[in-house]
Amino acid sequence: MKDGVAAYAALTQAADAARADGTDERTKGQVMTDTLVSAVLGGHEATGGPKVELGLVMSDHTAVGDSDDPAHLDGYGPIPAELAREIVAGALTADEEVWVRRLYTSPTTGELLAMDSLSRQFPTGLARFIRLRDQVCRTPWCTAPIRHSDHADAVIDGGPTTGENGQGLCEACNSWVEEARDEPSRNHAKEAPGWRARPTPEGTIETLTPTGHRHHTRPPALVTIHDRPPIRIDYIPAA
């Protein structure tokens, strides 16, 4: 607690000093935030620590300015298109490493398409894909941040390690619990009696609850599909 109070006092002092002459147009909170971010990211660069990865997902039309559809910032949520382009432009002019990954979406729904893997544990790339596709926990009514990538149809029941059978879950919906005092057994909360999840041919995850109700969830559309006029090609005879 004392360290938190000391850090807050230092940030407040920095904000008061920056705004003392009246030339800084930022608010006190903005100055405190900028000071904290500068200190944290500057420490990474000064100590040669690991790079900070920022997952920003947007359509190609949004990236080049042809559309103002919102982008998705991994770990935060939707952000305005203008802010997304500003983030990209800032990274390109700051001598930072910028990696671009192509993600393929359905031409009708805007959902991210699936990826396949033969291994049991979700590889890093497939786990990242599931996290970007689902955005929040796939358990019905739960919108908590994704912490785990798990199989809807369990591997022990023959469930494959694929994008269709994968789902992003929060820590509470996919946490380990202890059931016995002498020999604690670790089980997923979603594997409680009466609960069952499975992928459907329609691309949804069907969750069966102990009450017998069936709930279907599907990932949100990552891009907006716009109706575009058909391309007209005029015939021009050769001279």
Side-chain angles (χ1 to χ4, degrees), residues 119-201:
S119 62
R120 171 169 179 170
Q121 183 177 9
F122 284 98
T124 302
L126 182 53
R128 181 188 298 115
F129 167 81
I130 292 174
R131 187 176 68 250
L132 293 176
R133 181 197 64 187
D134 293 349
Q135 302 182 25
V136 295
C137 180
R138 287 291 293 275
T139 301
W141 312 295
C142 183
T143 58
I146 293 175
R147 292 292 180 262
H148 304 149
S149 297
D150 194 32
H151 300 76
D153 193 6
V155 173
I156 194 173
D157 296 327
T161 304
T162 62
E164 293 92 338
N165 193 45
Q167 58 178 343
L169 296 175
C170 69
E171 191 169 4
C173 292
N174 200 44
S175 61
W176 296 98
V177 295
E178 295 185 356
E179 295 181 342
R181 293 183 179 180
D182 298 333
E183 295 185 6
S185 60
R186 300 187 302 174
N187 294 301
H188 288 97
K190 69 181 183 63
E191 294 178 355
W195 286 86
R196 179 67 187 271
R198 68 179 184 89
T200 67

Side-chain angles (χ1 to χ4, degrees), residues 12-219:
T12 301
Q13 183 179 5
D16 292 340
R19 291 168 45 84
D21 59 359
T23 59
D24 198 324
E25 297 181 354
R26 294 175 297 173
T27 65
K28 180 179 179 180
Q30 290 172 335
V31 176
M32 295 173 67
T33 301
D34 292 343
T35 303
L36 176 62
V37 171
S38 177
V40 173
L41 298 184
H44 273 279
E45 297 175 358
T47 59
K51 295 292 184 180
V52 178
E53 180 175 313
L54 187 67
L56 181 62
V57 184
M58 71 181 85
S59 68
D60 54 342
H61 296 287
T62 298
V64 299
D66 290 342
S67 172
D68 285 328
D69 292 334
H72 176 78
L73 183 59
D74 188 25
Y76 177 81
I79 62 174
E82 183 179 357
L83 176 57
R85 288 191 287 266
E86 182 179 337
I87 292 175
V88 174
L92 294 174
T93 57
D95 295 329
E96 298 179 359
E97 292 184 353
V98 178
W99 294 82
V100 177
R101 297 184 178 93
R102 289 186 298 180
L103 303 174
Y104 297 94
T105 60
S106 166
T108 56
T109 64
E111 299 174 3
L112 283 180
L113 299 178
M115 297 170 58
D116 293 330
S117 172
L118 298 179
S119 62
R120 171 169 179 170
Q121 183 177 9
F122 284 98
T124 302
L126 182 53
R128 181 188 298 115
F129 167 81
I130 292 174
R131 187 176 68 250
L132 293 176
R133 181 197 64 187
D134 293 349
Q135 302 182 25
V136 295
C137 180
R138 287 291 293 275
T139 301
W141 312 295
C142 183
T143 58
I146 293 175
R147 292 292 180 262
H148 304 149
S149 297
D150 194 32
H151 300 76
D153 193 6
V155 173
I156 194 173
D157 296 327
T161 304
T162 62
E164 293 92 338
N165 193 45
Q167 58 178 343
L169 296 175
C170 69
E171 191 169 4
C173 292
N174 200 44
S175 61
W176 296 98
V177 295
E178 295 185 356
E179 295 181 342
R181 293 183 179 180
D182 298 333
E183 295 185 6
S185 60
R186 300 187 302 174
N187 294 301
H188 288 97
K190 69 181 183 63
E191 294 178 355
W195 286 86
R196 179 67 187 271
R198 68 179 184 89
T200 67
E202 294 76 21
T204 66
I205 296 293
E206 181 185 71
T207 301
L208 176 65
T209 67
T211 61
H213 292 83
R214 299 177 184 270
H215 303 273
H216 292 258
T217 62
R218 64 182 317 122

